[in-house]
Amino acid sequence: MTEPAITPELIAAHGLKPDEYQRLLGIIGREPSFTELGIFSAMWNEHCSYKSSKKWLRTLPTTGPQVICGPGENAGVVDIGDGQAVIFKMESHNHPSYIEPHQGAGTGVGGILRDVFTMGARPIAAMNALSFGVPSHPKTSYLVKGVVEGIGGYGNAFGVPTVGGEVRFHASYNGNCLVNAFAAGLADADKIFYSIASGVGMPVVYLGAKTGRDGVGGATMASAEFDDTIEEKRPTVQVGDPFTEKRLLEACLELMASGAVISIQDMGAAGLTCSAVEMGDKGGLGIKLQLDDVPQREANMTAYEMMLSESQERMLMVLKPELEDVARAIFVKWDLDFAIVGETIAEDRFLIMHGNQIKADLPLSKLSSSAPEYDRPWVPTPPAAPLGPVPAITPIAALRALISSPSYGAKTWVYEQYDSQVGGDTIVKPGLGAGMVRVHGTGKALAFTSDVTPRYVKANPIEGGKQAVAEAYRNLIAVGARPLATTDNLNFGNPEKPEIMGQFVGAIQGIGAACIALDMPIVSGNVSLYNETDGTAIMPTPTIGAVGLLSSLDDLIAGRPAAGDALVLVGATKGHLGQSALLAQAFGIEAGDAPYVDLAAERLHGDFILSARAHIRACTDLSDGGLALAAFEMATGADIGLTINDSDIAQLFGEDQARYIVATGDAPALLKLAANAGVPAAQVGQFGGDQFSLCGDTAPLAELSATYRAAFATALGLA
């Protein structure tokens, strides 16, 4: 097959700017082949190289006594004691999910699961953070159904419980939904597997499913804005098979136990290219590949297609040659492909052979560690104008505006599509706070949450970034877990626009400050840029996934309030309504500043909740919707009425930070402990009866609960 001529149009179609192409020419000293152009395109795009974000990512805190492995590997590794580690990461599959929601979301789940078990961990939990356009948009319902079906179909068949997550709706996502997938697994702390190749002349082995043409160019597509050519990008979306992935998991864990693995890497973005280059570069080695030996499911595949395919359920491994027969037998048993496709070499070369021809011969180290790195121009987000007068509304009408919206109504329809109980270790059902999974065979448990409030980040990126971490911290504290570490999924628009880059920089600054103050280092993550359609960017959405540890299930806070319990508010309330859920949902107003996040208060109040848990029956943090929405969710979850007195709209729906509500049967004892700890706390209500009352404005709890439970399915035509 004759390769196409390298033209300016072809270079641009591969996402390379003219100056980047000149940089490429300077490295290799000649015009690249078509396959070489594809390889450079894959390795130097935003999705793989982080060229716009590396400068700022380096400022994040990534170490701590609990951290075994931070960013740079397939996933982060954190010590949980007793010789065990939790391995976790969050990644985006935004563009593929908008083009083809079922396969896009499903393969997003598959990819993040591989990131975890590539490290030697058995996956124990999954979450997802989803952002969609407004329900009235003609594509939103289709996307929601497809994405949720894709996530459920893959995770349920693979056999991992989906224990939590979040779903939001906003017009900024009309043309670019966000699908952020999280996975966590367990491993022995002394049996972690890494992707650093070592040894010259070691066999490079292809494992798993066969290579097809699906996903060719997927990483480059993920690093570009959308326009009216979106339908042409459908072939760049991968096709997943969760049953093959389950076999791949079992085969990989068995292979790791055999002692045959030197290094192993998931074939994710940019497929064979990225996995081979990363393994070689980390080990200071070259890689020679013979593509005739790559298992293929389609005829007449070119070198370009094989190198850039993102077919799913595949791994690349460097193997101890003396254990080749042992390794091959394991994969044959699991009915998976096992093929030696190359070897490690001493020279700094990425040598690709196909049909007795050299298709690529490039300096391997220049493809990864020497990729372009930009210090993009940026401007700080200007201070928000003060919030003007708030329209009048009664408390129950305000609550109804929130609970009747799909963003704040119950997500029962979503959770029902996911198997949250597979494995038998899930402690609470999704939708009741942070997800929790028992560490099998022990008295410990792990808690998982994901959080961000994009309105805050857009108005004030620094405070919004701090708040995303602080809310994740509070969600873990509220179930009795000690926060351990975080992963991030940084979703933004076009970084070549200084105002967008300014959002990114500010959010990173806020996230870093909060991670340091709350001792929650970032151990893994993902950056997703160019989330724009026809020049319109999404709201900045730096999602924070966080993991916490309960050393004993006796520490668990997962009760429900009982009749006669007091409702105690922990933390100070000033009534901050800027960028609040109430204004956005009830009046369509997104104005004012984000709430200030006092990180010292967050730490103090969190420590208090954990120290006072013997007096706490139920607990939840306060975030979107403030006291009123959190109290309603607690009441409807227990099916017990609640009366809250002596508050106005700002006190009820303000979104001041560092706050929790607690149901307790011994309010005097709890309030005394708070006073001794210097923590603001006050009784604000009492549980009982069948009415929900805010400042004397009252409605039957059953009526409000019915609205809350039906809101999501009704808004999206799923009822």
Side-chain angles (χ1 to χ4, degrees), residues 216-588:
V216 172
T220 301
M221 175 272 291
S223 303
E225 297 178 38
F226 281 154
D227 54 27
D228 57 9
T229 65
I230 186 170
E231 283 302 316
E232 298 172 14
K233 297 179 172 69
R234 192 172 296 274
T236 64
V237 178
Q238 310 88 339
V239 177
D241 179 354
F243 300 103
T244 298
E245 178 119 333
K246 174 63 172 174
R247 287 185 284 122
L248 183 61
L249 161 70
E250 300 300 342
C252 283
L253 294 182
E254 189 174 336
L255 181 67
M256 291 165 173
S258 76
V261 178
I262 294 174
S263 67
I264 188 165
Q265 174 76 35
D266 162 43
M267 281 198 233
L272 191 52
T273 290
C274 193
S275 55
V277 169
E278 288 191 2
M279 284 204 302
D281 189 56
K282 289 174 183 176
L285 295 167
I287 299 281
K288 177 182 179 181
L289 295 178
Q290 176 51 260
L291 298 186
D292 299 277
D293 297 326
V294 170
Q296 300 161 53
R297 67 167 184 260
E298 298 186 47
N300 302 316
M301 289 191 71
T302 65
Y304 178 96
E305 290 169 334
M306 280 187 273
M307 292 307 297
L308 298 187
S309 167
E310 294 182 12
S311 293
Q312 297 292 286
E313 294 86 44
R314 302 180 302 159
M315 299 281 197
L316 201 65
M317 177 183 75
V318 177
L319 172 73
K320 293 178 182 176
E322 67 273 17
L323 292 175
E324 177 189 332
D325 290 343
V326 172
R328 186 184 301 275
I330 291 170
F331 274 75
V332 169
K333 182 182 80 173
W334 287 101
D335 193 25
L336 292 164
D337 278 291
F338 177 101
I340 295 176
V341 296
E343 64 178 340
T344 59
I345 56 179
E347 303 97 321
D348 179 21
R349 294 173 76 189
F350 193 39
L351 184 59
I352 310 300
M353 306 295 296
H354 187 221
N356 296 318
Q357 290 184 320
I358 296 175
K359 291 295 184 179
D361 190 355
L362 301 169
L364 186 144
S365 64
K366 300 296 184 183
L367 292 167
S368 179
S369 53
S370 298
E373 181 176 332
Y374 295 122
D375 185 1
R376 300 273 190 204
W378 61 279
V379 294
T381 299
L387 182 65
V390 175
I393 191 170
T394 63
I396 292 297
L399 179 65
R400 281 199 172 99
L402 292 176
I403 64 175
S404 62
S405 73
S407 286
Y408 300 107
K411 307 303 187 297
T412 308
W413 181 88
V414 179
Y415 299 139
E416 286 175 346
Q417 315 307 311
Y418 305 149
D419 188 340
S420 64
Q421 303 301 311
V422 61
D425 285 317
T426 305
I427 295 172
V428 296
K429 293 181 178 179
L432 300 173
M436 280 182 286
V437 175
R438 185 182 297 103
V439 178
H440 194 77
T442 75
K444 299 184 295 187
L446 289 163
F448 307 100
T449 187
S450 71
D451 297 285
V452 67
T453 306
R455 289 189 312 279
Y456 295 172
V457 186
K458 185 175 183 182
N460 188 328
I462 294 175
E463 291 305 315
K466 286 163 58 177
Q467 193 275 340
V469 178
E471 186 177 344
Y473 171 86
R474 292 196 302 269
N475 279 335
L476 297 175
I477 291 286
V479 297
R482 172 64 66 182
L484 282 178
T486 55
T487 181
D488 58 18
N489 203 146
L490 307 175
N491 308 275
F492 290 82
N494 184 344
E496 297 168 48
K497 297 177 179 178
E499 64 276 15
I500 299 292
M501 197 64 207
Q503 293 175 348
F504 183 86
V505 172
I508 287 279
Q509 292 170 340
I511 289 167
C515 286
I516 291 170
L518 302 176
D519 192 20
M520 296 169 69
I522 299 272
V523 298
S524 60
N526 172 243
V527 177
S528 176
L529 303 176
Y530 296 95
N531 289 290
E532 298 201 4
T533 298
D534 295 328
T536 300
I538 61 160
M539 294 253 276
T541 311
T543 306
I544 298 295
V547 177
L549 175 68
L550 289 97
S551 298
S552 168
L553 286 171
D554 293 338
D555 295 336
L556 178 65
I557 304 173
R560 296 187 179 188
D565 278 356
L567 182 70
V568 171
L569 173 62
V570 174
T573 301
K574 295 180 180 178
H576 183 96
L577 284 173
Q579 298 299 330
S580 65
L582 173 65
L583 293 188
Q585 292 298 330
F587 306 109

Side-chain angles (χ1 to χ4, degrees), residues 134-160:
V134 292
S136 59
H137 188 274
K139 200 165 182 178
T140 297
S141 183
Y142 160 76
L143 288 171
V144 170
K145 286 187 281 189
V147 164
V148 171
E149 286 172 359
I151 291 169
Y154 206 103
N156 297 352
F158 178 85
V160 62

